[in-house]
């Protein structure tokens, strides 16, 4: 595993040319910073004196790092101590290019001017977030053509990546943390990163977050250089799996659901059909997703026929 990581890191380090152009914030004196999680301070790490940026064609797509799904944390052994873990927020991915906020799809987010006017002139990556269990409210707010100030005052921009900057993930995180502290914008904050020491610690953290109705964990390989696209060094870990499927029929409800939707008939990307009847509130049953809509569902495992076990509705899926 270690040889594989070293080989991958070597390949990443040789990709692209590096501009030796220092970020203005990196020229300031850099102090020690302790990552805080659950009220506990971790060992301080000295900030790098400089973090030059990476050459990139401005006409290309957003420089997003996309995680892989991890089904078993033991896959990371024996290098698990090289990872940092953070809560996976139930938010909307948002990329700041130095001028505007964008959805993952590249569509502009109509954020209020006051929300972004003091943001730095270099890229940031993170999640717009209202709190656990507030995804539907958040999604409605950030997708409006005309921003509602009252809604946006409840939104935070929670950062986890410093795009297009050299240095490993730990260095990028620390540099970005330093910038966020200096900006002191109330709704701009970092997602805390906690060192992983063992599989047992990671599993305990996942269980704790699950009980608190959190989405799960994200694991970053601390020594990884920045590279956009699907990453071999970032993983998402959830207590349950989720996936998307298309609504192909709406079945009428019976009994207490008479006159409402009883279940949705769904089609997976592989062409398999199954019925989904749990996870809906009464409002959703009265106004179910239309045929052709993509929805996200959560499940525990697969049956021998390749259908999801214990599936339940999560939300209407927005590809952004």
């Amino acid at each position: 595993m270690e040889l594989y990581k070293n080989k991958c890191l070597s390949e990443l380090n040789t990709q692209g040319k590096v501009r030796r152009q220092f970020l203005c914030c990196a020229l300031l004196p850099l102090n020690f910073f302790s990552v805080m999680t659950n009220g506990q301070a971790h060992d301080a790490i000295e900030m790098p004196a400089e973090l030059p940026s990476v050459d990139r064609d401005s006409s290309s797509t957003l420089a997003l790092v996309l995680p892989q799904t991890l089904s078993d944390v033991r896959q990371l052994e024996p290098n698990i101590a090289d990872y940092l873990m953070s809560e996976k927020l139930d938010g909307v991915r948002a990329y700041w290019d130095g001028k505007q906020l964008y959805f993952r799809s590249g569509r502009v987010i109509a954020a209020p001017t006051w929300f972004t006017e003091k943001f730095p002139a270099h890229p940031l990556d993170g999640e717009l977030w209202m709190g656990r269990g507030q995804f539907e409210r958040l999604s409605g707010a950030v997708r409006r053509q005309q921003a509602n100030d009252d809604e946006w005052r409840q939104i935070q921009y929670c950062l986890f990546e410093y795009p297009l900057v050299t240095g490993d993930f730990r260095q990028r995180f620390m540099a970005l943390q330093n910038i966020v502290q200096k900006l002191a914008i109330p709704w701009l904050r970092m997602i805390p990163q906690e060192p992983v020491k063992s599989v047992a610690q990671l599993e305990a953290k996942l269980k704790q977050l699950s009980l608190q109705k959190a989405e799960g964990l994200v694991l970053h390989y601390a020594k990884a250089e920045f590279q956009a696209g699907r990453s071999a060094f970032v993983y998402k870990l959830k207590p349950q799996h989720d996936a998307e499927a298309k609504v192909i029929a709406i079945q009428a409800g019976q009994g207490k659901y008479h006159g409402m939707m009883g279940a949705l008939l769904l089609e997976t990307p592989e062409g398999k059909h199954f019925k989904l009847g749990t996870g809906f509130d009464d409002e959703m049953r009265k106004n179910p997703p239309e045929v052709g809509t993509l929805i996200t569902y959560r499940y525990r495992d697969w049956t021998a026929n390749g259908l999801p076990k214990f599936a339940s509705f999560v939300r209407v899926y927005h590809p952004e």
Side-chain angles (χ1 to χ4, degrees), residues 44-63:
I45 303 170
E46 188 174 6
M47 291 284 291
E50 58 190 55
L51 282 178
S53 58
V54 176
D55 281 331
R56 174 174 169 269
D57 182 355
S58 60
S59 66
S60 59
T61 56
L62 304 180

Side-chain angles (χ1 to χ4, degrees), residues 210-271:
S210 179
L211 292 173
Q212 296 171 352
K213 308 300 182 183
E215 279 279 285
L217 287 169
V218 177
L219 304 174
H220 285 269
Y221 188 63
K223 301 176 183 178
E225 301 289 329
F226 181 86
Q227 184 185 39
R230 189 65 61 184
S231 176
F233 301 100
V234 185
Y235 298 95
K236 56 183 178 181
L237 181 64
K238 297 184 178 183
Q240 291 183 314
H241 307 291
D242 58 37
E244 280 69 51
K246 182 172 67 176
V247 178
I248 58 174
I250 300 172
Q251 298 187 345
Q254 299 179 357
K256 68 176 182 177
Y257 296 135
H258 179 72
M260 295 188 283
M261 178 265 291
L264 298 176
L265 184 61
L266 302 177
E267 182 179 73
T268 71
E270 296 75 30

Side-chain angles (χ1 to χ4, degrees), residues 115-129:
F115 190 87
T116 60
E117 63 183 352
K118 293 183 179 179
F119 283 7
H122 52 72
L124 306 170
D125 194 5
E127 296 269 335
L128 295 172
W129 195 57

Side-chain angles (χ1 to χ4, degrees), residues 158-232:
C158 305
L159 306 178
F160 53 74
E161 183 57 271
Y162 197 177
L164 303 174
V165 170
T166 60
D168 63 30
F169 176 76
R170 191 190 302 272
Q171 292 172 318
R172 298 196 305 275
F173 176 85
M174 303 303 286
L176 186 55
Q177 173 72 48
N178 187 65
I179 293 168
V180 170
Q181 287 179 332
K182 285 180 169 62
L183 290 172
I185 300 171
W187 49 88
L188 184 68
R189 71 176 184 86
M190 298 294 295
I191 301 177
Q193 299 288 337
E194 181 179 353
V196 179
K197 298 178 181 178
S198 66
V199 169
Q201 176 215 15
L202 200 158
E203 290 177 337
K205 184 71 173 182
L206 182 63
K207 183 177 180 180
Q208 173 195 353
L209 288 175
S210 179
L211 292 173
Q212 296 171 352
K213 308 300 182 183
E215 279 279 285
L217 287 169
V218 177
L219 304 174
H220 285 269
Y221 188 63
K223 301 176 183 178
E225 301 289 329
F226 181 86
Q227 184 185 39
R230 189 65 61 184
S231 176

Side-chain angles (χ1 to χ4, degrees), residues 276-290:
L276 186 69
T278 61
F280 305 100
D281 58 22
D282 286 349
E283 184 61 32
M284 181 62 72
R285 290 186 183 277
K286 292 175 184 176
N287 300 283
E290 297 179 356

